[in-house]
């Protein structure tokens, strides 16, 4: 178990926690119509990935541990209007197929 913990970089743990916290804040405080939390989470994670790419290119950044926070948070904020375009599965209840002919009981003429 100790070997497994050593394989996970601390920056990854900080980044995942930051993505979860920031996505919850965006979901709570930004008002957009018809949005699901999963789409907010996906766009926030994409913004953080762009922030990590920014840091990888060597551009100036502000870090929290090994996780890049600026410009990751502004990128995530700018991507939030695109959350409504993230595909999500339909949650409509499945209706049984209608029979072609209605069943006739013995009481109908």
């Amino acid at each position: 178990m100790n070997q497994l913990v050593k394989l996970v970089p601390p920056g990854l743990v900080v980044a995942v926690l930051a993505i979860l916290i920031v996505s919850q804040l965006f979901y709570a405080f930004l008002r957009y119509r018809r949005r699901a939390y999963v789409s907010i989470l996906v766009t926030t994670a994409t913004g953080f990935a762009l922030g990590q790419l920014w840091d990888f290119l060597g551009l100036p950044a502000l870090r929290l541990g090994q996780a890049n926070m600026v410009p990751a948070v502004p990128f995530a904020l700018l991507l939030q209007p695109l959350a409504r375009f993230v595909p999500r599965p339909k949650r409509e209840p499945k209706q049984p197929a209608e029979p072609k002919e209605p069943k006739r009981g013995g009481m109908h003429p």
Side-chain angles (χ1 to χ4, degrees):
M1 183 69 176
N2 195 14
Q3 298 286 338
L4 184 63
V5 172
K6 288 182 181 180
L7 293 176
V8 178
L12 181 64
V13 174
V14 171
V16 168
L17 289 175
I19 289 170
L20 290 173
I21 291 168
V22 171
S23 66
Q24 284 288 326
L25 291 172
F26 287 161
Y27 187 72
F29 294 115
L30 296 180
R31 298 290 175 203
Y32 292 110
R33 289 187 299 149
R34 291 192 291 156
R35 55 189 191 129
Y37 176 69
V38 173
S39 58
I40 300 295
L41 183 64
V42 168
T43 54
T44 304
T46 304
F48 270 76
L50 288 173
Q52 291 303 111
L53 177 66
W54 177 282
D55 188 40
F56 178 74
L57 293 175
L59 299 170
L62 179 65
R63 296 172 181 243
L64 178 65
Q66 293 177 344
N68 185 14
M69 296 306 286
V70 175
V73 174
F75 280 149
L77 183 61
L78 289 174
L79 289 175
Q80 291 309 307
L82 299 176
R84 64 188 177 127
F85 298 112
V86 174
R88 52 183 191 228
K90 302 273 185 191
R91 296 224 175 219
E92 297 174 7
K94 294 182 180 180
Q95 298 291 331
E98 292 289 328
K100 292 186 180 187
E101 293 183 21
K103 294 181 180 180
R104 295 187 179 206
M107 302 199 133
H108 298 289

